[in-house]
Amino acid sequence: MNLIWRTLTHLLVASRAKRVDVFDVVRSRFRVLPTDLDVNRHMNNGRYLSIADVARFEMLMRTGVWKVLMSNGWYPVVQSSTITHRLSLTPWQRFTIESRIMAFDEKSVYLEHRFVVKGQLAARLVLRGRFLKRSGGTVPLAEISKAVGVDVSDRSVPEWVQRWAADVTLPSTRQPTPSVWED
């Protein structure tokens, strides 16, 4: 229930906030609630991903990308993500998520979410996503550029992100899944 209220609140915030450019950093403000905590009394590691979803939705709304997606019958999905934690977030602590689109390749978009407390980086989430068509298939880079009205091809994927994306990509679902653990 907590995430529903957060989503609705940030939807309202995004609808009233100043529109920003597609590649701008969007700052979303949050507070650690008791329902975010794990047994160690700090924010649960899984909650970071859920709250980043809310911040990402706000970013898509404020940049106008959400409207473009909906009008074209497209929708975003997360393919892979990685998060690195530096500082614990504690009960009632305020924090900001700084969200930005990092880069694009032919099929994917790469985003970064930075969890910041009083100017200190608490955690960093990097994710790879795609825009899919409700009619089926992936939205090509050229269609995204045209619909959003910006050239996304000049946002090349950093080398370390390319290596990470290649390392975490799973095989096609058409391939059999191994029955034993492999290194």
Side-chain angles (χ1 to χ4, degrees):
M1 192 59 124
N2 162 353
L3 286 173
I4 292 171
W5 288 115
R6 276 186 168 142
T7 302
L8 292 174
T9 299
H10 284 269
L11 171 63
L12 182 63
V13 167
S15 69
R16 294 181 176 182
K18 179 183 153 198
R19 175 132 185 229
V20 298
D21 290 332
V22 170
F23 296 114
D24 284 351
V25 173
V26 174
R27 289 173 179 80
S28 305
R29 289 169 178 68
F30 295 90
R31 182 186 293 265
V32 179
L33 301 176
T35 53
D36 298 329
L37 305 178
D38 62 17
V39 296
N40 295 318
R41 296 184 311 278
H42 61 214
M43 192 156 86
N44 179 283
N45 61 310
R47 189 62 83 174
Y48 284 82
L49 300 175
S50 297
I51 294 175
D53 282 345
V54 175
R56 191 163 44 258
F57 181 62
E58 181 178 341
M59 179 189 67
L60 291 172
M61 295 276 299
R62 293 205 41 213
T63 59
V65 172
W66 186 257
K67 186 176 182 179
V68 170
L69 295 175
M70 295 302 100
S71 66
N72 284 286
W74 302 339
Y75 61 98
V77 295
V78 173
Q79 291 175 274
S80 51
S81 63
T82 187
I83 187 165
T84 304
H85 301 271
R86 185 170 167 267
L87 303 172
S88 292
L89 297 181
T90 57
W92 305 112
Q93 189 170 36
R94 293 179 189 266
F95 63 97
T96 300
I97 299 180
E98 299 173 346
S99 304
R100 72 179 181 107
I101 295 173
M102 293 172 58
F104 289 86
D105 63 23
E106 279 307 310
K107 292 184 177 180
S108 302
V109 58
Y110 297 86
L111 294 99
E112 177 183 29
H113 296 289
R114 297 166 45 96
F115 293 73
V116 179
V117 177
K118 296 179 182 175
Q120 295 292 312
L121 183 62
R124 180 181 187 209
L125 169 65
V126 175
L127 70 82
R128 178 183 185 197
R130 284 190 181 170
F131 297 117
L132 301 179
K133 298 179 180 182
R134 296 225 180 267
S135 58
T138 301
V139 182
L141 182 64
E143 284 186 54
I144 293 169
S145 285
K146 184 177 178 186
V148 174
V150 297
D151 182 9
V152 298
S153 65
D154 67 347
R155 294 292 176 145
S156 60
V157 183
E159 186 179 322
W160 73 269
V161 176
Q162 290 176 19
R163 285 192 312 273
W164 163 76
D167 287 346
V168 300
T169 297
L170 294 176
S172 166
T173 56
R174 294 178 205 97
Q175 297 177 0
T177 302
S179 60
V180 296
W181 292 98
E182 296 180 17
D183 288 337

